[in-house]
């Protein structure tokens, strides 16, 4: 492991239990029946524990969208041509892709990162170039990337997140773009959770039954050829992962090390979370699962991670669209702690007053 | 029935099926896999059908919070003293109640309406006085209100909503405050859906097992004494309803008549929706169910209405907090139609391009 990765891992600490207890007490004292804001109260308490503040403020929001290509597309696993990865970066930059609409709606920045798109891009101040290579290798015939590249992808994600955090970012969402990346995410899920490929694999952008059977077969072949070591996250990432999966895992590690909430999107971000949590189990405490994707493996990932999604809207778009909605829920959850009054402050009778 | 109520009912029309088809086609042509935004796409298509526009814009948002007292509180059905209804109006007006936090977060106004709070309030430009009476009568000993008062409450809600709509309101949320109102809402639910009180009744603001058994017994007594006619919504409202339930039903009728989306909150709004839809089944098409409340009767209401909630966050606060989150989801759903580009416009290869 490299020094920058080792260093980040050494900085990840548990949530602050004392602050969480005080935040829970504050929630209970606000002018509402105790616990009546359900999961939002739990989220606010966790964020208090991350931020070490009973009344944390989240004012700088961003969604990091990482794009990369996947060699396994050569096996015919996607409904869309590989060139779509490259083509979609342009709408991200001009603000007319789905994630831009969602991010504007919630007042978040979109940070677009090229983690390894085939062909690359001309220099553009709106696009962060962290390209590891022009796409991964075909994991159905050998490792998707070298171990060195896997570490580089993690470190690139750490660098992207830490640069934003140093400018005041206090909550980050994760998003992805990469034709073929549900195939990689399914393989990562199977490798780490031990569930069969047939169980964790879904239709991605929308393949039919025959293509789904083929996709499962390709994933099984990749797992067989590569034999990823389920206890070694970097091995899994290098053999059957992707550059954006590594990059997003790096964002999660950096978020946890810097004690900011990381709101994860759907299936691809889930695969990245598996890698990050395998590297440092404590990372899980800093992750907020925004939504449950239609991809069947996503539920398995979240159960493995012990995370409960906030939303279930039958979404399966990626890009960070679900993360955007999760960020706005996280934000309102801490506004409750900040902007509501207690029964005492508001002069309202509490339950104990009887009547 | 009065003329203003009859007139509103006569104005409620079906959604525009042609526009909905065109909106669905537009969703399918945007740069994302078809259907990948799940329930948000469905919501956007419904709103298009309401607004008769393929790219509807929702810019003026408000949550109507109606407060009223309930005579049935005399039976000891609530964990909080009756005076809390009156006390909570002040935080609504000063902006530090839960619904204010949520409304500010999503950029919506809060319209506070006194539908019948005991004691009433001094004149205040921020508080709309539509008080029918200082609380309903105790439904466990006779009708909660007269038939005339039930109609008045519906008309008050219509008037409140139409005043806002005439000033440009294009999406409305519903919220409530009223100690004892889950007892009334449970009775309305039992009366209209035909389900037993024991099945539809929950813990409201947080009563224990013994109190819950007592609450069910009170509701059964109210149903037995009043024998509400399940086919006559006004009879149900007058015998076991509440002034805020009638008022919110009026808001829903006015929303439907004026073709704007009505985002309903939880259990109390659900009871109002039962009344409104019983008066005019078409109203259902204009209702967006924001969230599934912890109150067990809420699921039964939504199933009866054929509505699927967008969120399930274990919330049970009322006030319109869930509606606020539903409004922001509805808003982003139509922003997708407005702000995303099609594959053609963006120069991105669609599925058909193969590869």
């Amino acid at each position: 492991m490299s020094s920058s990765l080792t260093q980040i891992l050494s900085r990840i600490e548990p949530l602050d239990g004392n602050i969480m207890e005080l935040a829970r007490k504050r929630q209970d004292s606000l002018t509402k029946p105790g616990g009546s804001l359900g999961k939002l109260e739990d989220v606010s308490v966790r964020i208090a524990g991350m931020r070490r503040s009973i009344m944390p403020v989240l004012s700088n929001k961003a969604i990091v969208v990482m794009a990369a290509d996947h060699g396994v597309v050569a096996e015919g696993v996607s409904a869309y041509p590989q060139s779509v990865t490259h083509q979609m970066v342009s709408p991200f930059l001009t603000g007319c892709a789905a994630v831009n609409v969602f991010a504007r709606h919630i007042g978040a920045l979109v940070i677009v990162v090229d983690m390894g798109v085939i062909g690359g891009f001309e220099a553009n101040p709106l696009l962060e170039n962290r390209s590891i290579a022009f796409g991964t290798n075909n994991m159905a015939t050998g490792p998707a990337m070298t171990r060195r590249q896997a570490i580089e992808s993690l470190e690139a994600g750490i660098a992207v997140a830490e640069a934003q955090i140093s400018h005041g970012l206090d909550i980050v969402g994760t998003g992805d773009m990469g034709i073929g990346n549900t195939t990689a995410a399914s393989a990562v899920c199977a490798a780490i959770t031990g569930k069969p490929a047939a169980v964790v694999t879904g239709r991605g952008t929308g393949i039919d039954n025959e293509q789904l059977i083929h996709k499962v077969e390709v994933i099984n072949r990749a797992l067989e050829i590569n034999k990823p070591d389920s206890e070694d996250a970097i091995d899994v990432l290098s053999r059957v992962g992707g550059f954006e999966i590594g990059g997003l895992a790096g964002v999660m590690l950096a978020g946890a090390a810097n004690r900011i909430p990381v709101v994860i999107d759907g299936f691809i971000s889930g695969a990245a979370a598996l890698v990050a949590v395998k590297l440092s189990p404590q990372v899980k405490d800093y992750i907020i699962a925004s939504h449950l994707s239609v991809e069947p493996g996503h539920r398995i990932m979240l159960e493995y991670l012990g995370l409960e999604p906030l939303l279930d809207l039958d979404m399966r778009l990626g890009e960070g669209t679900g993360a955007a909605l999760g960020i706005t829920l996280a934000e309102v959850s801490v506004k409750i702690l900040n902007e509501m009054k207690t029964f005492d402050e508001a002069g309202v009778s509490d339950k104990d007053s009887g009547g």
Side-chain angles (χ1 to χ4, degrees), chain A:
Chain A
M1 239 180 255
S2 79
S3 67
S4 120
L5 183 54
T6 317
Q7 203 210 354
I8 273 285
L9 290 173
S10 73
R11 278 170 52 203
I12 299 171
E13 291 178 358
L15 302 186
D16 188 322
N18 289 334
I19 295 287
M20 289 174 76
E21 206 173 306
L22 292 170
R24 177 71 70 186
K25 273 194 187 143
R26 179 162 174 83
Q27 278 288 7
D28 287 344
S29 70
L30 300 173
T31 54
K32 57 181 173 56
S36 61
L37 285 173
K39 295 178 191 171
L40 294 183
E41 295 192 17
D42 301 337
V43 167
S44 75
V45 169
R46 284 180 61 204
I47 295 175
M50 295 176 206
R51 304 301 293 150
R52 289 211 178 98
S53 163
I54 300 161
M55 292 162 82
V57 175
L58 303 176
S59 30
N60 295 303
K61 298 160 274 183
I63 300 167
V64 175
V65 185
M66 294 190 150
D69 270 306
H70 294 263
V72 72
V73 166
E75 303 291 330
V77 289
S78 176
Y80 286 80
Q82 188 162 48
S83 56
V84 167
T85 309
H86 194 281
Q87 289 169 3
M88 276 302 296
V89 169
S90 164
F92 291 153
L93 301 177
T94 55
C96 56
V99 68
N100 305 98
V101 177
F102 280 69
R104 272 195 300 274
H105 182 63
I106 66 150
L109 283 178
V110 176
I111 315 287
V112 188
V113 185
D114 174 10
M115 286 296 302
V117 178
I118 292 173
F121 301 89
E122 283 178 32
N124 182 330
L126 297 175
L127 174 65
E128 210 165 320
N129 176 15
R130 299 279 179 173
S131 184
I132 310 289
F134 283 176
T136 52
N137 298 318
N138 181 355
M139 69 176 183
T141 59
M145 64 186 92
T146 64
R147 191 172 176 93
R148 180 67 238 154
Q149 287 177 318
I151 293 169
E152 271 173 31
S153 72
L154 289 162
E155 290 179 339
I158 293 167
V160 166
E162 293 221 298
Q164 296 296 327
I165 292 165
S166 74
H167 287 96
L169 185 74
D170 43 30
I171 181 166
V172 67
T174 63
D176 68 282
M177 178 68 215
I179 296 302
N181 66 6
T182 62
T183 302
S186 300
V188 168
C189 180
I192 291 185
T193 70
K195 299 274 180 193
V199 171
V200 302
T201 305
R203 292 170 194 277
T205 48
I207 53 175
D208 63 21
N209 282 342
E210 201 181 334
Q211 289 168 305
L212 177 60
I213 292 164
H214 174 63
K215 184 174 172 183
V216 171
E217 192 270 321
V218 169
I219 292 167
N220 276 328
R221 214 185 322 148
L223 291 169
E224 219 170 273
I225 286 178
N226 285 293
K227 294 191 178 39
D229 175 358
S230 65
E231 290 310 307
D232 178 354
I234 296 174
D235 190 61
V236 173
L237 175 61
S238 63
R239 290 178 185 275
V240 297
F243 298 135
E244 80 281 50
I245 294 174
L248 293 173
V251 169
M252 294 172 201
L253 296 175
N258 290 283
R259 307 188 71 88
I260 69 166
V262 181
V263 183
I264 63 171
D265 199 41
F267 192 54
I268 311 307
S269 291
L274 289 177
V275 171
V277 170
K278 206 76 195 174
L279 284 168
S280 169
Q282 206 80 63
V283 171
K284 182 219 139 187
D285 295 341
Y286 293 86
I287 295 179
I288 295 168
S290 63
H291 80 114
L292 182 67
S293 163
V294 171
E295 282 290 303
H298 194 223
R299 184 187 296 272
I300 291 164
M301 288 171 171
L302 294 181
E303 276 169 10
Y304 182 89
L305 292 166
L307 293 169
E308 213 186 335
L310 292 172
L311 297 152
D312 183 4
L313 294 170
D314 294 338
M315 286 165 61
R316 53 179 172 82
L317 173 55
E319 293 184 12
T321 48
L325 300 179
I327 288 173
T328 204
L329 292 178
E331 198 183 5
V332 79
S333 85
V334 299
K335 285 185 178 175
I336 295 161
L337 285 172
N338 282 284
E339 299 178 22
M340 276 186 76
K341 288 196 173 161
T342 64
F343 280 99
D344 271 357
E345 287 162 3
V348 174
S349 311
D350 200 355
K351 214 166 164 177
D352 306 331
S353 328

